[in-house]
Amino acid sequence: MAMWTTFWSYFWGTLTVVPFLGFPLVYLIVYMVKRNKRLAGRWAVNITNFLVIRSAVSAYELIWPEAMSAWWWVSCFFLVTIVLLGWFQVKLKGKLSLKKVGFSAWRLSFLWFGLVYIVLFTTGIIKTMDVV
């Protein structure tokens, strides 16, 4: 039992440090089960998005432990993005589709939090090098 606990803690730790490793893992698993490349790609992007958000939050809390929780920043990002995308959609098309707005916000979060993760990761490395 202790071996499995150790394995899972190392596995999740690795995916927290390198969240983009989740993409090929999820893609291969879903493709082997479903034999559908498009579905496997969608699942891989969605799961990797969760991993990237979690990694960015972990890096933020590791760099600035006394700062406000990073989950507030994540929530604010989604709220502001959904409101802005909804406003643009109403201006352009005259109607609001929450499904499309939510999907677009989710995809934009992949790009945004991927960039935030890379910046925080390099900031953490530089901050750690200053201490040593």
Side-chain angles (χ1 to χ4, degrees):
M1 187 68 176
M3 183 182 78
W4 282 109
T5 306
T6 305
F7 170 78
W8 283 113
S9 67
Y10 279 114
F11 179 72
W12 287 117
T14 302
L15 288 179
T16 299
V17 174
V18 190
F20 298 107
L21 223 90
F23 187 88
L25 288 173
V26 173
Y27 184 87
L28 289 173
I29 290 170
V30 173
Y31 181 72
M32 287 185 342
V33 171
K34 297 286 186 178
R35 297 286 183 209
N36 186 340
K37 288 182 181 180
R38 191 172 180 168
L39 182 67
R42 263 193 240 138
W43 269 88
V45 168
N46 288 333
I47 298 300
T48 305
N49 196 7
F50 278 120
L51 294 172
V52 168
I53 291 171
R54 190 180 110 204
S55 297
V57 168
S58 296
Y60 177 86
E61 290 174 351
L62 193 66
I63 295 171
W64 298 289
E66 67 281 344
M68 184 172 71
S69 174
W71 289 110
W72 286 105
W73 294 113
V74 172
S75 300
C76 287
F77 168 79
F78 278 111
L79 287 173
V80 168
T81 304
I82 288 170
V83 166
L84 288 175
L85 288 173
W87 182 75
F88 281 130
Q89 190 180 57
V90 168
K91 286 290 183 186
L92 293 175
K93 295 193 177 188
K95 64 179 184 172
L96 177 65
S97 171
L98 286 177
K99 183 178 179 181
K100 288 182 181 181
V101 168
F103 182 76
S104 298
W106 182 248
R107 289 294 186 234
L108 283 172
S109 75
F110 181 76
L111 296 173
W112 173 250
F113 286 110
L115 178 67
V116 167
Y117 168 73
I118 291 168
V119 168
L120 288 173
F121 189 77
T122 55
T123 303
I125 291 173
I126 291 168
K127 188 176 177 185
T128 303
M129 288 174 67
D130 277 348
V131 172
V132 175

